[in-house]
Amino acid sequence: MSYWATGRSRRLCKIIRNSKSLRKLHVKSYGCQMNIYDSHRMVDLLTRDSYVETTVPEDADLIILNTCHIREKAVEKVYSELGRISKLKHEAKRAGRNPIVAVAGCVAQAEGEEIVRRAPVVDMVIGPQNYHRLPALLAQVESGAKVVDTELPLLDKFAHLAPATVTAIRARGVTAFVTVQEGCDKFCTFCVVPYTRGAEVSRPVATIVAEVENLVRAGVREITLIGQNVNAYHGKGANGRLVTLSHLLNRLAKVPGVFRLRYTTSHPRDMDENLIAAHRDLAILMPQLHLPVQSGSDRMLVAMNRRHTRAEYLNLIARLRAARPDMALTSDFIVGFPDETEEDFRDTLHIVDEVGFAGAFSFKYSPRPGTPAADRRDQIADEVKTERLARLQDCIDRHQRAFNRNCIGRSLEVLLEKPGRNPGQLVGRSPYLQPVQVMAPSSLIGEIATAQITDVGSNSLFGALHSMEPRAPALAGTGG
Ligand code: SF4
């Protein structure tokens, strides 16, 4: 941690803080579910410490940008947002207020002090492992310091973060993400995560169970375990020994009131036999898996340092489908990785056809500073990447439409989550994570209902509710 100016004592700052009324906090979150989860944890922490949340940045006394480094030009987008916030802060100052501006997340971690140099409007830069220090760092800022805290401490930050209140949980809905693992040791040659999130760290089973129990008590019914490399999970179990993700899923399946479990994002190398067996044995573990392959070409997989072959990936898919035949698989793809030939690219199209993915995210390769692939001289021309991406997306869309069309006429269990687009409509999720629109009373939010799928739209399924299956509060999670 480094401080750009020495502040007055924390004690003095606390006295100043406590003398003020509740202030307003606005958090803008970019990127993945892990960032959304982190944003919730920051809100939970600060709303216990003299802030209330606001959705209006102009009203805020503290603005936090929780940034993501994955997308193209992520850093420049943050600076352009900071330009807008600078104007907003200028207006606030004219009105006699002085909002604090903080940059958090992966761009904060990667850029560090450079952010304060380039954007003087920023008062605090805080890396993703350090959110539990927010109250103390805010005290430093309030005493006139500019704070940059981007250490990657090994200590479990989660143990220091406040649990969400019932009100906050209910406002977020009947599904929740729970981070169980952070960081990555894989070092794919295109990816910044190992540098921005640090080495793989897993939370102990007991703290995850306690968090899930807290969520379920407040009405959450579906839990998605998240981590940059979630299936590399290795947390401390009850007897102090390290346990894997399959053990954790089996334990969480016994928490009364949990209707559904999912996990994301996984690496093919960490799909062990016990995890595959969990898909066979745990009825509440949904038959849906996001398992990025990135490319169908062995040459590209080596260049990306993915450390598995195309054949190994396909073999893994076969074993997953043997365990759970209706498994819906999704993936990420990168096209135009350095030196990718037309033949390599066709291997990617073929693997989409072979697996028949239910959906996928696909991107043009774009160099991330500091990663090995960014320095390669054999970059692919942008027009080639654009053309390949369009062909890949056509192929993915074809399979996604086929997967969705196959659901027509089937009865699917839908966890009803919130009001739909039209009056009287609710939207929920199928076991395969597809949004499903049904006509149903709002009293059914949080329940699982069976719907006959009647039609398919561009992004959703449409269904007619035909029965409710009340869930027993205990042992709901154990499968057959
Ligand atoms: S496994 Fe995922 S998070 Fe880790 S380096 Fe590769 S792409 Fe990045």
Side-chain angles (χ1 to χ4, degrees):
M1 185 186 325
S2 67
Y3 297 102
W4 279 42
T6 310
R8 281 175 282 166
S9 75
R10 279 185 196 180
R11 200 160 148 262
L12 179 58
C13 296
K14 196 163 184 178
I15 292 167
I16 293 167
R17 273 211 327 277
N18 290 344
S19 69
K20 294 176 185 171
S21 57
L22 281 183
R23 288 162 298 171
K24 291 183 180 166
L25 159 70
H26 176 76
V27 182
K28 183 166 180 181
S29 201
Y30 300 81
C32 66
Q33 297 100 329
M34 297 203 59
N35 261 20
I36 295 168
Y37 179 87
D38 282 346
S39 294
H40 286 164
R41 295 287 75 74
M42 286 191 267
V43 170
D44 293 337
L45 182 66
L46 293 172
T47 51
R48 298 205 164 197
D49 185 57
S50 72
Y51 281 91
V52 287
E53 197 178 4
T54 176
T55 54
V56 184
E58 287 78 8
D59 289 350
D61 300 293
L62 168 60
I63 298 172
I64 301 177
L65 297 185
N66 193 13
T67 61
C68 168
H69 206 299
I70 292 290
R71 296 283 174 266
E72 200 172 357
K73 301 197 176 86
V75 176
E76 290 316 310
K77 282 178 188 156
V78 170
Y79 284 116
S80 94
E81 180 70 19
L82 287 171
R84 283 189 286 277
I85 289 174
S86 179
K87 285 186 197 134
L88 186 153
K89 183 159 175 164
H90 185 69
E91 289 301 313
K93 275 187 169 169
R94 284 174 48 176
R97 296 188 305 109
N98 188 16
I100 293 171
V101 178
V103 178
C106 290
V107 173
Q109 187 68 40
E111 292 281 292
E113 294 183 358
E114 177 66 10
I115 294 180
V116 182
R117 256 191 287 273
R118 272 185 69 178
V121 67
V122 174
D123 302 294
M124 181 198 297
V125 177
I126 181 167
Q129 304 305 337
N130 309 356
Y131 299 145
H132 57 292
R133 293 178 182 157
L134 263 171
L137 298 179
L138 281 168
Q140 295 283 340
V141 170
E142 285 168 347
S143 67
K146 293 250 182 191
V147 178
V148 178
D149 185 354
T150 52
E151 277 181 10
L152 289 170
L154 280 176
L155 128 155
D156 180 9
K157 74 176 176 193
F158 299 99
H160 300 263
L161 291 173
T165 61
V166 171
T167 312
I169 296 168
R170 291 200 173 142
R172 291 167 193 162
V174 298
T175 63
F177 297 118
V178 174
T179 294
V180 300
Q181 179 277 339
E182 277 205 28
C184 181
D185 299 340
K186 300 286 188 298
F187 290 91
C188 299
T189 55
F190 54 83
C191 182
V192 290
V193 165
Y195 312 99
T196 57
R197 292 274 177 163
E200 287 170 2
V201 180
S202 298
R203 298 175 66 190
V205 171
T207 67
I208 297 165
V209 170
E211 184 170 339
V212 168
E213 286 172 343
N214 187 44
L215 290 166
V216 169
R217 268 195 301 273
V220 169
R221 294 293 170 251
E222 177 178 298
I223 302 286
T224 302
L225 306 181
I226 54 175
Q228 268 94 23
N229 229 318
V230 71
N231 60 342
Y233 175 84
H234 268 84
K236 235 184 232 172
N239 54 10
R241 286 219 310 267
L242 294 184
V243 300
T244 60
L245 186 64
S246 57
H247 177 102
L248 178 64
L249 288 164
N250 276 281
R251 174 66 189 86
L252 293 176
K254 295 192 176 92
V255 174
V258 177
F259 288 0
R260 289 178 162 187
L261 290 170
R262 304 181 192 271
Y263 59 93
T264 195
T265 291
S266 299
H267 191 289
R269 278 179 59 87
D270 292 316
M271 289 302 302
D272 64 28
E273 288 309 317
N274 288 337
L275 190 49
I276 295 172
H279 281 281
R280 181 192 63 215
D281 299 336
L282 291 177
I284 69 164
L285 180 57
M286 292 295 99
Q288 166 265 326
L289 182 63
H290 187 65
L291 192 62
V293 65
Q294 307 294 1
S295 171
S297 153
D298 278 338
R299 224 171 59 83
M300 290 298 102
L301 289 172
V302 170
M304 291 173 172
N305 193 32
R306 294 292 290 174
R307 290 186 279 173
H308 63 79
T309 64
R310 167 199 182 87
E312 284 164 345
Y313 183 85
L314 290 172
N315 178 276
L316 179 53
I317 300 297
R319 285 184 285 137
L320 279 160
R321 285 190 165 144
R324 188 72 204 241
D326 65 334
M327 183 79 87
L329 290 147
T330 56
S331 177
D332 295 335
F333 289 97
I334 293 174
V335 299
F337 191 77
D339 195 32
E340 183 190 67
T341 62
E342 173 65 20
E343 196 183 340
D344 293 320
F345 173 66
R346 282 198 193 142
D347 285 343
T348 296
L349 293 178
H350 291 154
I351 206 168
V352 175
D353 286 335
E354 265 178 87
V355 176
F357 288 103
F361 299 107
S362 50
F363 308 96
K364 293 192 272 187
Y365 170 73
S366 77
R368 295 288 177 273
T371 58
D375 296 332
R376 288 184 57 163
R377 292 171 174 224
D378 43 4
Q379 302 288 335
I380 301 294
D382 193 56
E383 55 270 26
V384 176
K385 291 186 203 171
T386 303
E387 189 264 340
R388 286 181 186 167
L389 184 64
R391 283 158 67 199
L392 176 60
Q393 289 181 338
D394 277 352
C395 183
I396 291 167
D397 287 351
R398 186 160 41 81
H399 285 283
Q400 183 169 1
R401 280 195 304 273
F403 184 85
N404 288 341
R405 268 199 314 271
N406 278 342
C407 294
I408 295 177
R410 287 182 63 189
S411 290
L412 297 182
E413 287 198 337
V414 180
L415 173 60
L416 298 166
E417 293 181 14
K418 57 189 176 188
R421 289 189 209 124
N422 302 317
Q425 213 174 37
L426 294 184
V427 64
R429 295 269 176 179
S430 76
Y432 312 114
L433 207 58
Q434 301 141 301
V436 183
Q437 310 269 351
V438 293
M439 297 303 289
S442 60
S443 58
L444 293 188
I445 289 175
E447 301 291 345
I448 290 184
T450 306
Q452 175 101 12
I453 304 304
T454 53
D455 202 0
V456 181
S458 49
N459 294 311
S460 314
L461 308 182
F462 297 91
L465 221 60
H466 60 74
S467 85
M468 284 286 309
E469 295 193 2
R471 294 288 164 128
L475 297 177
T478 47

